[in-house]
Structure formats: structure tokens, C-alpha cells
Amino acid sequence: MDTKDIYTEAKRPVISIRDLKKSFGTLTVLNGIDIDILKGENIAVLGKSGSGKSVLIKIISGLLKPDSGIVKVLGQEVDKITAAELQQLRLKIGFSFQNSALYDSMSVKENLAFPLVRNKRDLSIKEVNDAIEEVLNEVGLSQTINQMPSELSGGQKKRIGIARTLILKPEIMLYDEPTSGLDPMTSIEINNLINKVKQQYNTSSIIITHDLTCAKQTADRVTMLLNGKFLPPGKFEDVFNTQDQSLRTFYDYNFINSK
Amino acid sequence: MAPDLENSEILPEKKALISKKIDSFFTDIYNVYKFIALFFKELFSRPFEWKEVINQCYQVGYKSLALVSLTGFITGVVFTKQSRPSLSTFGASSWLPSLVSIAIIRALAPLVTALIAAGKVGSNMGAELGSMKVTEQIDAMEVSATNPFKFLVVTRILAITFMMPVLILYTGFIGMMGSYLNVHANELTSLTAYFKSAFATISFLDIFSSIFKATMYGFTIGVAGCYQGYHAQNGTQGVGKAANTAVVLSMFLIFVEELVIVQVVNAIR
Ligand SMILES: Nc1ncnc2c1ncn2[C@@H]1O[C@H](COP(=O)(O)OP(=O)(O)O)[C@@H](O)[C@H]1O
Ligand SMILES: [Mg+2]
């Protein structure tokens, strides 16, 4: 796998993880994760449910603490910095949750305003409204501004969830199963949005997914979380030429042996 | 004769189960203690979430006002009606206003209001925070750099702790109005005469202890509701459990507190 040429491109890693371990009681979930995610790179992480994908990105965003290992995000060790520093760091990390996690007591507009007004208290109402309009346009949902989350479809919720993170102009995006539960058409819209975000905001992303189409369309590199470790990451085509049984299972299921 | 406990077959399993239950009981108590400690720590750290506290106060009042008005009124009417025969037997129905006001201010208003608030506000806190927890809204808040404990928990506990004394005084007033209507219908007492007689027996200590009780009850309901919601697990099922446990727990604790506070106040009196 020629990951080497990507490394030599003199890009700095925005996320750098070394020998990360995490257990819950007797259940070992992550058992020595090593990865560098480079500036402007999208990396897809595959893995069956319960393999610890969400735990990994929760550790990256400081929602969970690692048991051991080094997790550096934008040069800072997330589990070592102070609460105030973590707060600042989090403004640069966008987290798109699996079930969108929109605040269901707030309208779309209030959802989008929330991260902004709470972190940039000196903004005028007009500046906030402009920012909301901008991200809503970005995700193509301007018409939903006064709706409640319960009135949105699954795909719309996902996009509003992404918009809510974009409003802070993040450097890193973490997508937790962005296309799960969506029909193929809507999935493709989300994939396109992920690519658009990468270009427009120059983000680096981790995209957790079961969906190989999503991985293929959005990722520069693909890896798989297996037994608490990453398989060596590589380009989509390279990774899926492998005879590794667990990868073949994914591949065969998604493309119904189209090879 | 005592059964042979040492040689019983099922005993090891039961022992393990009991020791597990005792274990989790003490971890629960420790976790609640930590939760309360965190509440006081966040309470005094900047920035204060005044806007959200006021919003929550409004929610608490709005949610319980109709219900406490009705129950307070009915309590006043019924208690007066039920007490009249025994007092009449001694030819003492003119004592009704003072008897009723003591009962309402010292015991009925605080208890009735607290139980209603536990059912209405406590369960709502458990359910609301619980569903935010299991649908990752609390995580979402945290990653967007808002302290969810401060924004959701501290504000709710503060709001109900502030609002409970207000609600209890209000219920007391409504209860006495209900009582007055009944007294007026039977004994033709005027409003001023009624209140004169009612307040003649109520001391400052009575009012003060009711306000103190109210504050304790409010805090209890807030902590129970928020603790249960904030630690909800296992999807939608966990939300129901959080709401339910919040109500049961706060009702139980309210009665325990009532018992203790009555002892203390009577010792002072
Ligand atoms: N906060 C937690 N406490 C205990 N166990 C957890 C916690 N979070 C995740 N787990 C466990 O870790 C494992 C991996 O979970 P997760 O990362 O959510 O899987 P997935 O790969 O499907 O996203 C699961 O077995 C889950 O039960
Ligand atoms: Mg997951």
C-alpha cells in the first residue's frame, strides 16, 4: 500500500494517535491505535458495530478519556490540556453525530445559533443571522429555518447537524456514520456535502461508515478497525484488493460480488 | 431454630447478589454526592447562566401553576369541611380558621406542592435530560464548547429551588381562600375576620420553616430529576426509567425530610 507518497508530501498531521488503548471494565475496545491524519485529508474508518469507532472519535473530541497512549489534535494532547484549552480546541473540531443530535426543544435556527452565540458573545444579531443563512445555504436547506427538528427527514437532520458544526468554521470534521439509515439518493447528497465541506472549509476529516460507496466517494484513505487496531490505511482500491476476510465481507456485502 | 445458613446451596448466589446490591447502593450515594459537589462548584464559577435560569423558573411555574392552584384550593375546602364536625362537637367551630391555617401553612401546602412538583417538574427533568442524554444531545453540547452540566443541570436545580418557596406560599394562600369560602358559606365569617383569626396563630417560625422546607424540597426534586436524567442509559427505555425513578426517589426523600424538619422545628418552638 503506497501511503508513503502521501506522507512525503510535507503535510503536517492534524491528528496524531500513538498506541491508544481504551477499555470499559473488562471489555477492551481500542487496543493500540496508531494513525496520522494529514491536513486536508479525509480518512474513512470501517468496522462492524460495537468495534469502537464511536469511542475513538469521542476520545479525539475529549468526550472520553483514553486509558493510555497519545492523542494529539492540532498539536495538543486532548487528555492533558486544561478545560479552558479543551474548550478552545473544540471550537476547531466539528462533530456530526450518528443520530444528528439536534436539540429537539429548539428550532433549526436556534440549533444553528446555539454554538455561535455561546462561544462568540460579542456578535451582533445580524452577524449571527448572516452566519446561519450562510451555512443553511451551504447545506441547501434554507427553507427549513423555522422548522423544528421533529419535522425534518433523516437526511435533512444530518445536514442541519453538519451545518451546526460548520457555523464555527472547524478545521477538523468527525462524521459518525453520516449515511447510516438513509436511502441511496440521500446518501449520495451527504457524500457530496462531505466533499464540499472539505473543499470549502479546507477540513481534515474522519468519516466513520459501513457504507463503502461513502468511503469510496469521500475518502483519500481507508482503514478498518478490527480487534481494537487499525489495518494499514491505504487508497480505497488498494485496500479492497486485499484477501483479508473481514474486509472481503464488507466488500462483498456492499457490492454483491460485483467484481 | 435457625436454618443452617452455612450449608445452604443457594446462599452463595444470593450473597453475591446482595453484596452487589449493597455495592451499587453505596456507589449510587457516592455518585449523587459527587453530582451535588459538582453542582456547587459550577454554581460559583463564571459565566453565570442567568438567562437560562430565568427561562427554567418560568418553565417550572408554568408547568405546575394550574395543578397546584386546583389541588391547593381543594385541599383547603376539604380539610375545612372534614375538621368542622369534630370542632363543632366542642362548640369550637370559631377555631376553624386558625386550625386550618396552621395545618395548611405548616404541613399541607408544602407537602401537596412538593409532591405535585415532583410528579410534574421532577419527571419532566428526568425525561427531558434523559432523552437529551441518550440521543447524544448532551455530548453535542459539550463538543460545541458549552458546559452541559452548567447549562442544563445547574440552571434546572437553581430554578426549582428558587421557585418552590414561591409556589408553596402561593398554594398556602389558595388553600386558605378555599377554606375561607367554606367557612364563609357555613359561619358567614367575613374575609378580614377570617384572615385575622387565621394569622393570629401563625408565627414567623411557621412561615420561615415552610420556606426552608420548600427550598429543601425544591433542591431534592431538582437533584433527583437531573441526576436520573443526566445518567440515563439504554435508549428510550432508559428515559422512562429516569423519569420514573426521579419521581419515586424525590417523593420518598420529601417525606423523610418532612419528618426530620418537623422534629427540628418542634424542638426549637
Ligand atoms: N461510555 C461507555 N461505557 C461503557 N461501555 C461503552 C461506552 N461507550 C461505548 N461502550 C462500549 O464500547 C463498545 C464500542 O462502542 P462504539 O464505539 O459505540 O461502537 P461502534 O463501533 O458501533 O461505534 C461497545 O461494546 C459499547 O458497548
Ligand atoms: Mg457508533
Side-chain angles (χ1 to χ4, degrees):
Chain A
M1 262 153 274
D2 51 345
T3 55
K4 233 182 260 159
D5 55 359
I6 300 176
Y7 277 102
T8 50
E9 276 181 34
K11 291 179 171 177
R12 68 183 168 92
V14 287
I15 299 176
S16 176
I17 298 177
R18 291 289 173 275
D19 200 26
L20 166 62
K21 293 187 175 151
K22 176 75 185 174
S23 309
F24 296 103
T26 54
L27 176 76
T28 301
V29 180
L30 303 177
N31 193 18
I33 298 278
D34 287 295
I35 190 107
D36 279 315
I37 291 145
L38 308 175
K39 180 77 193 151
E41 176 187 40
N42 276 5
I43 186 159
V45 176
L46 306 167
K48 63 176 191 191
S49 23
S51 60
K53 305 179 301 293
S54 299
V55 169
L56 175 69
I57 55 173
K58 282 184 181 169
I59 289 175
I60 292 173
S61 59
L63 284 173
L64 290 173
K65 286 217 175 296
D67 294 342
S68 67
I70 298 174
V71 182
K72 269 194 180 171
V73 179
L74 300 170
Q76 291 181 292
E77 282 191 59
V78 281
D79 56 321
K80 305 268 161 52
I81 55 183
T82 64
E85 285 168 332
L86 181 59
Q87 183 127 337
Q88 283 315 109
L89 183 61
R90 277 174 169 158
L91 299 178
K92 299 174 191 153
I93 306 175
F95 198 129
S96 157
F97 285 86
Q98 185 168 352
N99 296 308
S100 311
L102 299 182
Y103 307 127
D104 43 29
S105 60
M106 302 182 197
S107 70
V108 166
K109 186 176 179 183
E110 289 163 335
N111 263 281
L112 295 174
F114 190 85
L116 203 57
V117 296
R118 296 195 53 83
N119 289 301
K120 311 204 166 147
R121 289 175 191 259
D122 46 353
L123 287 185
S124 70
I125 294 177
K126 178 160 186 317
E127 285 170 309
V128 173
N129 285 340
D130 287 350
I132 291 173
E133 211 167 293
E134 185 192 327
V135 289
L136 270 180
N137 270 328
E138 215 71 80
V139 300
L141 286 174
S142 307
Q143 76 281 9
T144 63
I145 186 158
N146 291 317
Q147 278 175 297
M148 296 303 285
S150 57
E151 299 164 344
L152 303 176
S153 71
Q156 289 178 322
K157 279 186 196 166
K158 282 267 160 76
R159 286 195 273 169
I160 297 295
I162 294 172
R164 189 175 61 183
T165 69
L166 291 182
I167 206 158
L168 289 174
K169 307 224 185 302
E171 291 176 38
I172 295 171
M173 283 296 294
L174 307 171
Y175 297 95
D176 198 348
E177 307 199 13
T179 60
S180 74
L182 301 180
D183 63 87
M185 298 290 285
T186 313
S187 296
I188 286 175
E189 285 172 22
I190 297 284
N191 296 344
N192 292 339
L193 178 59
I194 292 173
N195 285 330
K196 186 174 164 187
V197 166
K198 179 186 167 186
Q199 274 162 15
Q200 210 116 328
Y201 293 81
N202 192 23
T203 54
S204 320
S205 317
I206 297 180
I207 301 148
I208 285 174
T209 187
H210 299 294
D211 174 358
L212 288 189
T213 311
C214 172
K216 190 173 180 183
Q217 289 190 346
T218 60
D220 301 301
R221 285 192 297 160
V222 178
T223 181
M224 184 175 198
L225 184 55
L226 192 65
N227 302 325
K229 290 193 161 116
F230 274 158
L231 296 181
K235 292 218 166 69
F236 183 84
E237 293 75 16
D238 299 334
V239 171
F240 286 94
N241 280 327
T242 171
Q243 289 308 307
D244 186 294
Q245 195 44 51
S246 36
L247 276 171
R248 293 249 45 99
T249 314
F250 256 82
Y251 196 80
D252 293 346
Y253 179 77
N254 274 262
F255 294 114
I256 325 176
N257 280 317
S258 61
K259 238 189 123 191
Chain B
M1 222 185 86
D4 188 356
L5 287 177
E6 286 307 319
N7 294 326
S8 161
E9 294 267 312
I10 34 170
L11 208 67
E13 262 174 48
K14 281 218 166 138
K15 252 187 187 165
L17 190 73
I18 291 171
S19 90
K20 208 172 156 192
K21 280 213 163 147
I22 293 176
D23 255 18
S24 81
F25 177 73
F26 282 108
T27 23
D28 269 349
I29 289 192
Y30 178 64
N31 286 338
V32 171
Y33 161 76
K34 278 203 305 195
F35 193 79
I36 294 175
L38 186 59
F39 167 79
F40 282 108
K41 183 176 159 251
E42 296 290 355
L43 180 62
F44 295 113
S45 73
R46 289 175 158 276
F48 304 112
E49 305 278 0
W50 285 124
K51 247 171 107 178
E52 185 60 15
V53 172
I54 289 165
N55 175 30
Q56 289 302 326
C57 284
Y58 172 75
Q59 295 287 334
V60 168
Y62 174 78
K63 271 176 200 134
S64 30
L65 201 61
L67 213 49
V68 295
S69 302
L70 189 70
T71 43
F73 186 78
I74 293 176
T75 307
V77 173
V78 170
F79 189 79
T80 311
K81 233 179 147 81
Q82 301 281 36
S83 309
R84 181 172 292 107
S86 2
L87 283 184
S88 304
T89 322
F90 305 110
S93 33
S94 60
W95 285 5
L96 256 179
S98 25
L99 174 76
V100 171
S101 61
I102 285 182
I104 288 182
I105 297 295
R106 283 191 194 165
L108 291 174
L111 265 183
V112 166
T113 317
L115 294 181
I116 299 260
K120 195 83 184 154
V121 182
S123 69
N124 190 276
M125 286 178 180
E128 199 178 14
L129 294 191
S131 74
M132 289 190 79
K133 168 79 181 180
V134 303
T135 58
E136 298 183 309
Q137 291 173 53
I138 290 182
D139 284 343
M141 205 168 268
E142 187 159 359
V143 294
S144 69
T146 289
N147 180 341
F149 190 90
K150 207 167 170 168
F151 186 77
L152 299 171
V153 173
V154 173
T155 54
R156 278 172 174 72
I157 295 179
L158 267 187
I160 183 133
T161 310
F162 282 152
M163 287 304 282
M164 213 52 200
V166 177
L167 281 175
I168 279 176
L169 291 179
Y170 170 78
T171 312
F173 175 74
I174 295 285
M176 283 170 67
M177 288 309 288
S179 163
Y180 164 73
L181 284 188
N182 190 275
V183 169
H184 181 73
N186 286 278
E187 282 93 14
L188 301 174
T189 318
S190 76
L191 189 63
T192 37
Y194 174 85
F195 272 99
K196 224 174 188 170
S197 147
F199 278 109
T201 45
I202 296 175
S203 65
F204 174 73
L205 182 66
D206 289 323
I207 307 248
F208 177 79
S209 79
S210 278
I211 289 177
F212 175 73
K213 269 202 277 197
T215 314
M216 292 294 291
Y217 296 163
F219 185 72
T220 305
I221 295 168
V223 169
C226 291
Y227 177 82
Q228 291 298 329
Y230 206 70
H231 293 98
Q233 278 171 343
N234 306 331
T236 41
Q237 198 194 351
V239 178
K241 187 166 169 265
N244 185 267
T245 315
V247 177
V248 175
L249 191 66
S250 43
M251 283 190 178
F252 172 73
L253 290 174
I254 284 167
F255 279 106
V256 174
E257 285 166 14
E258 170 79 24
L259 191 64
V260 173
I261 295 172
V262 164
Q263 305 297 331
V264 174
V265 172
N266 278 353
I268 299 174
R269 204 185 298 277

